[in-house]
Amino acid sequence: MKGNRRFPAFYLRAAPYIAMDATTLSENIERLRVTFRSGKTLPLEWRRAQLLSLQRMFKEHAADFEDALKADLNKCAFESFATETGFLQHEISHALAHMEQWVRPRGAATPIFLLPASSRVIFEPLGVALIVGAWNYPLQLTLGPLVAAIAAGNAAVIKPPRTAKHIFQVMARILPLYLDEEAFLVIGDDTANDLILAQRFDKIFFTGSPEVGRVVMQAATQYLTPVTLELGGKSPALVDESANLRVAALRITQGKFFNAGQTCVAPDYVLAQENILDALIEELIKAIHEFYGADPHESGEFARMINTKQFDSLVPYLKDGQVVCGGEARRDELFIAPTILKNVSPDAPVMQKEIFGPILPVLPVKNMDEALAFVQQREKPLAFYVFSEDRAMIERILKHSTSGGVCVNDTINHLVVPGLPFGGVGRSGMGKYHGEWGFREFSNARAVLDHATSFDPALRYPPYDDAKTNQMKKLMEMSFPAIFERPLGWLLSHWGEKILGLIR
């Protein structure tokens, strides 16, 4: 492609970022629309070329991305690879392996009263999509949807998150080098969000907070643009008395404190049965010390808050319960220690909004019925975690709860499985992606009925009488296995009127 250049930090800081005005932005989007209308994005060969180019980008600029993520969030190399560059390479590989199957038309059974005919669903791209990423996983949450958009054959406007300023600058410089400039626009400047949302798109894919999600959805109403909203919420972890507490603690700790808790699917709070509460807390404290040492501030594995605004929003939560682990906060370093709170009131501020930081309230419940009631009374979460060795209990909890996704005896890893849909429900979002689900999200499932003209019975046309009505009723009550559709169609093509004459 256009290059394999690693941009030094001083070059990125000095780069000018001049915001586009309305005319320039509109002209750029129209350029993408012209490309889409030309059919350039339709061939599988073009889609493959774009995905392979992205895959090469992650390998050739791995160090650039890793350095930028370290500068913005203090992400360690493992987290950067597992949740960002490596994650996306895996997503791309999955799309490349299955894309030909995804685009294949899907047959559908045709009712006997429409034979001879064939029915199928074809998947066509929507057009020019707007993809708005989020700062907490800036590569994954911007380019993951882009992978799906490309696989489906769309052009796209890509808006990386400016809040993660270092990775924003790296993406602004590097990403355009690996994408077809006729089909993609990377907004690597200070163009206003309101100006972007005022443009006409064929799809908007937004990842962020419910509050901003409302703004995006409102903007989409101007042109009735379909939206996918990947939001968040307070994802609960339920731990019942049969759970393996050691494993539960390790997996809750990892899921909660990955990226210093700045993860939309992080366990937001824990509901544990009273008789195991103290033992679970001891295991959680033990896991934190094993992961980050006696002083997490000195750990190379623990991330930082993105900025002072995020830091300041979290510090008051430290007073909403008894700190049994952590509690240290250093504003000048954007550091909040991995913290566990007990004796937290359900009405405390820390239990009202998604925490999005390294603070974990652990609340007691008498039993899982009380835990379920607690969750059911609140907004539907993006993720739901249950820890138990009792299969009947697990199935009961799943049956009586709802969420965007679930892990049983694990946290956050459901989003790593390409075949599973990732997304929210209710206030936590709408629409699903990853793997084929992402392909479908950026596609129009188009119904096609291909009706032969060799048999055109008078039954379907006015004037209608009782005889026609009775015939139609009987035909609509008939059903045949799909394997007989073609033979029946052939018979009707040749002797349709005679066959209909037998139906009285």
Side-chain angles (χ1 to χ4, degrees):
M1 291 296 285
K2 297 181 183 177
N4 174 25
R5 180 178 178 186
R6 183 177 178 186
F7 298 97
F10 73 85
Y11 178 85
L12 294 172
R13 285 196 297 270
Y17 295 101
I18 301 172
M20 287 180 279
D21 57 25
T23 300
T24 303
L25 179 59
S26 181
E27 288 173 350
N28 278 318
I29 295 173
E30 182 58 26
R31 171 172 53 84
L32 306 189
R33 203 173 297 283
V34 169
T35 299
F36 178 76
R37 288 171 181 161
S38 75
K40 183 177 185 179
T41 68
L42 293 178
L44 281 178
E45 292 75 17
W46 181 88
R47 306 183 200 188
R48 286 195 186 96
Q50 298 304 302
L51 292 176
L52 286 168
S53 185
L54 280 179
Q55 198 167 55
R56 190 170 70 256
M57 177 189 74
F58 289 121
K59 294 176 181 178
E60 294 176 350
H61 292 280
D64 294 288
F65 293 134
E66 185 178 317
D67 289 349
L69 291 166
K70 181 74 173 178
D72 282 327
L73 290 154
N74 197 45
K75 288 195 181 190
C76 65
F78 179 89
E79 280 197 23
S80 292
F81 180 80
T83 66
E84 302 273 17
T85 56
F87 181 98
L88 287 166
Q89 290 179 66
H90 181 65
E91 188 80 4
I92 291 169
S93 296
H94 184 78
L96 288 168
H98 298 280
M99 192 166 55
E100 188 172 350
Q101 176 187 344
W102 296 343
V103 303
R104 199 172 295 154
R106 309 293 169 89
T110 306
I112 189 172
F113 56 84
L114 289 177
L115 296 176
S118 64
S119 302
R120 66 186 187 277
V121 180
I122 61 175
F123 298 96
E124 58 186 21
L126 292 171
V128 178
L130 170 64
I131 298 170
V132 182
W135 56 261
N136 56 324
Y137 292 90
L139 284 173
Q140 181 196 142
L141 299 179
T142 305
L143 302 186
L146 178 63
V147 170
I150 291 172
N154 296 274
V157 174
I158 305 144
K159 186 185 178 299
R162 287 193 294 260
T163 302
K165 59 184 179 181
H166 293 90
I167 196 68
F168 171 78
Q169 293 175 19
V170 171
M171 291 173 73
R173 291 293 181 182
I174 294 176
L175 190 55
L177 302 180
Y178 290 84
L179 291 172
D180 186 335
E181 62 184 9
E182 295 180 351
F184 300 100
L185 171 65
V186 180
I187 299 182
D189 54 37
D190 292 328
T191 301
N193 293 338
D194 291 347
L195 189 62
I196 297 169
L197 290 172
Q199 305 301 309
R200 183 166 193 163
F201 297 98
D202 301 295
K203 175 76 174 183
I204 298 176
F205 193 108
F206 169 79
T207 304
S209 69
E211 291 73 25
V212 181
R214 290 191 185 95
V215 175
V216 172
M217 196 167 186
Q218 182 63 39
T221 61
Q222 180 180 359
Y223 297 110
L224 296 180
T225 305
V227 297
T228 298
L229 301 177
E230 298 297 340
L231 308 176
K234 297 186 74 65
S235 298
L238 276 57
V239 184
D240 98 327
E241 60 187 358
S242 72
N244 182 323
L245 297 187
R246 169 65 173 164
V247 174
L250 289 170
R251 294 178 181 177
I252 290 171
T253 299
Q254 182 191 41
K256 176 62 180 181
F257 299 113
F258 231 56
N259 200 31
Q262 298 166 113
T263 303
C264 59
V265 291
D268 199 81
Y269 62 94
V270 175
L271 300 177
Q273 286 191 238
E274 292 173 335
N275 57 332
I276 60 160
L277 181 75
D278 291 338
L280 175 63
I281 289 175
E282 287 180 12
E283 291 291 351
L284 288 168
I285 295 171
K286 181 180 177 182
I288 289 172
H289 290 161
E290 289 177 3
F291 290 179
Y292 309 115
D295 183 4
H297 176 262
E298 300 301 319
S299 171
E301 312 290 333
F302 191 68
R304 298 295 186 266
M305 299 300 96
I306 186 67
N307 53 31
T308 53
K309 179 182 178 182
Q310 182 70 6
F311 178 95
D312 291 343
S313 72
L314 294 171
V315 170
Y317 292 154
L318 296 172
K319 300 178 181 178
D320 286 345
Q322 177 188 348
V323 175
V324 294
C325 180
E328 182 185 2
R330 302 187 186 187
R331 192 174 193 270
D332 59 332
E333 299 182 44
L334 299 176
F335 169 78
I336 298 177
T339 298
I340 298 174
L341 298 179
K342 66 180 293 187
N343 298 329
V344 177
S345 167
D347 298 322
V350 75
M351 293 300 297
Q352 305 311 308
K353 292 184 178 180
E354 183 179 8
I355 298 170
F356 222 67
I359 302 169
L360 181 64
V362 182
L363 286 73
V365 290
K366 294 179 181 178
N367 50 48
M368 288 297 101
D369 286 338
E370 183 178 327
L372 276 171
F374 187 95
V375 175
Q376 289 168 345
Q377 291 166 7
R378 286 155 176 79
E379 297 285 353
K380 298 173 183 177
L382 180 58
F384 187 98
Y385 305 118
V386 53
F387 289 86
S388 175
E389 296 298 318
D390 183 340
R391 296 310 306 183
M393 176 64 73
I394 291 168
E395 294 304 320
R396 186 162 172 273
I397 291 172
L398 293 179
K399 182 178 180 180
H400 295 284
S401 63
T402 187
S403 62
V406 180
C407 284
V408 175
N409 291 319
D410 203 352
T411 62
I412 75 175
N413 280 321
H414 59 296
L415 62 85
V416 179
V417 183
L420 289 178
F422 176 73
V425 57
R427 193 176 184 273
S428 60
M430 60 179 69
K432 308 284 184 177
Y433 75 120
H434 289 177
E436 186 174 5
W437 296 91
F439 169 85
R440 297 279 187 96
E441 199 69 15
F442 282 95
S443 298
N444 173 40
R446 191 177 186 186
V448 178
L449 173 69
D450 190 342
H451 203 163
T453 59
S454 54
F455 175 53
D456 193 36
L459 170 64
R460 64 177 291 174
Y461 301 115
Y464 301 119
D465 55 23
D466 290 343
K468 284 186 176 181
T469 301
N470 289 334
Q471 276 188 315
M472 181 55 73
K473 285 180 178 179
K474 289 183 179 180
L475 285 170
M476 292 184 74
E477 290 171 355
M478 292 181 180
S479 63
F480 292 89
I483 194 172
F484 294 121
E485 188 173 300
R486 280 194 174 186
L488 281 170
W490 185 87
L491 288 172
L492 288 168
S493 293
H494 291 78
W495 299 289
E497 292 295 346
K498 290 183 179 179
I499 293 173
L500 278 184
L502 300 175
I503 301 173
R504 300 290 184 185

